[in-house]
Every structure is written in structure tokens, then in C-alpha cells.
Amino acid sequence: MGFVSIAMENSDKPRGGRPRAFDPDRALDAAMHLFWEHGYEATSLAMLREAMGLTPPQIYNAFTDKETLFRRALTRYHETEIGFALEALSALVSTGEAMRRLLLGAAEAYSRPGKPGGCLFVSGALAASPQAQAIADELKAYRKASEAAIAARLAKGKAEGDVPENLSVEGFAKYIAGVMNGMSIQARDGASVEELRIMARTALAALPGEGQNQGTSSKE
């Protein structure tokens, strides 16, 4: 996406040739966790200033504005927090096993101790004001991309013969993505990792053939 290169330029280029007196990655991680926990609009500049350990001019010099900072936080989240999904969908395993790893990985990721519950792509701006519509659209694009990645993996399974021909790839991908979104909300409401695993296994039982066996027998 185009905003990545712009944000990188703004954050990595020192102004006036002087080195920064802070670690940009550490500051960005702090901002990411705030947005993850409170959402885009509820995260104030004062909260960001305290968590990042920066003055407002430092924040603006490094990240331009709050919207750019949030987009950088989304990129950071994608790079550091959803490896389980990328690995599950790219692993050289059956489709049922890939879906099992994806959903059970989500159960673990959404309930990690010491981190906000759920998924930033889901909770970042579910209820956005008109002023934050661009951010809501950005998060929607991330969620749609995740759904498309699931659909692509299901289509690959259908081509390889381990997904039934009569399974709707788009429909089942939307179902799996919806389950993951629901797991994220449940995690925000305090659901335990085991409760999320139960949700995952229940969803896996809907995948015909191998997916059903994988989903109902796993204890992970």
C-alpha cells in the first residue's frame, strides 16, 4: 500500500541531519499497543505522548500526524503479530490442517498474556466517526485481504483434491474470517484461550472431510 513508503520516509529520515534521541521501533510498538487496546479515536495524543515517551513535536516530526502513526502501527502489527496466520496459510500441509493451524493460532494470538486481547484489525475502529472513516476503511481493507488469503488457500486445496468440489471457497472463507472476527471480540470480552479453542474446533467441524477430523480431535 502506498502509505507504507510515505510513513517510512517520514519516520526514518532525521531532520536537520541530527540523530534521533529515541528508538523509533520501541516508540511505534508503544503506540501500536495503545491503538490495539483502546482503538484509534479513543487513543489521545496525551496517551501516546506518555506511552511513547516523546513530546508532541517529536511525535509529529517522526510520524507526521496521528493518522500516519496509526497506519504505521497497522504495518507494525502485520509484521509482528500475525505470523501465525501467514505460516498456517503457506505451510505445506493439507487444507484441513492449514485451517486448524489458522484458527487455533488465532486462539493463542488473541489471548496472549501481557498484550491487548483480540486483533487490532478488528478492534481498531469498529465504531468510527465520519472524521475517522478513512481509518475504518483501511481496517476493512486489511480484513478483506485476510479473507481473500483464506479463500486462496481453500481454492488451492480444491485444486489439489483435498477440498470437496461442491464447497463454496468464497462462502467458507467468509465464514472462517467471521469466526476469527468473533474470536477477537470474545477475547476482548475476556474469553480464555481454551474458550477460544472451543470456538475454533467448532468452526473446524464445518469443513468437510479432513477438516472435520482435524478440528474435533485436536487438543492444542
Side-chain angles (χ1 to χ4, degrees):
M1 296 182 183
F3 69 82
V4 176
S5 60
I6 294 173
M8 289 291 288
E9 179 181 351
N10 286 334
S11 64
D12 294 340
K13 183 178 179 182
R15 302 204 174 183
R18 292 178 297 177
R20 299 197 189 284
F22 65 91
D23 181 341
D25 287 339
R26 182 174 296 179
L28 186 57
D29 282 340
M32 179 188 75
H33 280 82
L34 269 185
F35 288 130
W36 189 356
E37 183 173 2
H38 300 288
Y40 174 72
E41 291 192 287
T43 299
S44 67
L45 179 60
M47 294 164 66
L48 290 166
R49 183 174 66 239
E50 181 177 356
M52 298 170 77
L54 304 178
T55 65
Q58 284 178 310
I59 293 175
Y60 289 124
N61 286 339
F63 302 104
T64 305
D65 53 32
K66 181 182 174 182
E67 186 171 320
T68 301
L69 174 58
F70 183 74
R71 289 192 164 109
R72 283 293 310 276
L74 288 179
T75 302
R76 184 72 167 174
Y77 181 84
H78 188 276
E79 293 170 346
T80 62
E81 300 294 336
I82 66 165
F84 74 92
L86 302 177
E87 291 173 7
L89 295 176
S90 63
L92 299 177
V93 296
S94 70
T95 303
E97 174 64 11
M99 295 300 108
R100 186 188 73 85
R101 294 185 184 188
L102 176 66
L103 288 174
L104 291 176
E108 298 285 342
Y110 295 170
S111 58
R112 288 177 184 147
K115 294 192 175 183
C119 172
L120 175 58
F121 297 155
V122 176
S123 60
L126 281 179
S129 69
Q131 292 75 23
Q133 190 57 49
I135 292 297
D137 290 343
E138 187 98 36
L139 288 165
K140 180 180 178 180
Y142 272 102
R143 295 193 297 271
K144 286 295 185 182
S146 298
E147 184 179 316
I150 296 169
R153 181 62 184 85
L154 291 168
K156 178 176 180 289
K158 181 178 283 192
E160 294 175 348
D162 73 347
V163 170
E165 278 294 326
N166 62 353
L167 182 76
S168 168
V169 166
E170 291 76 14
F172 200 78
K174 190 174 292 292
Y175 169 70
I176 292 294
V179 169
M180 293 179 70
N181 292 344
M183 290 170 66
S184 173
I185 294 171
Q186 290 286 329
R188 293 286 302 205
D189 288 344
S192 68
V193 62
E194 187 53 40
E195 289 171 327
L196 298 180
R197 286 174 183 151
I198 291 171
M199 291 181 66
R201 296 185 190 117
T202 302
L204 287 165
L207 180 63
E210 184 177 357
Q212 181 174 357
N213 295 333
Q214 292 283 4
T216 56
S217 63
S218 172
K219 297 298 183 182
E220 296 180 12

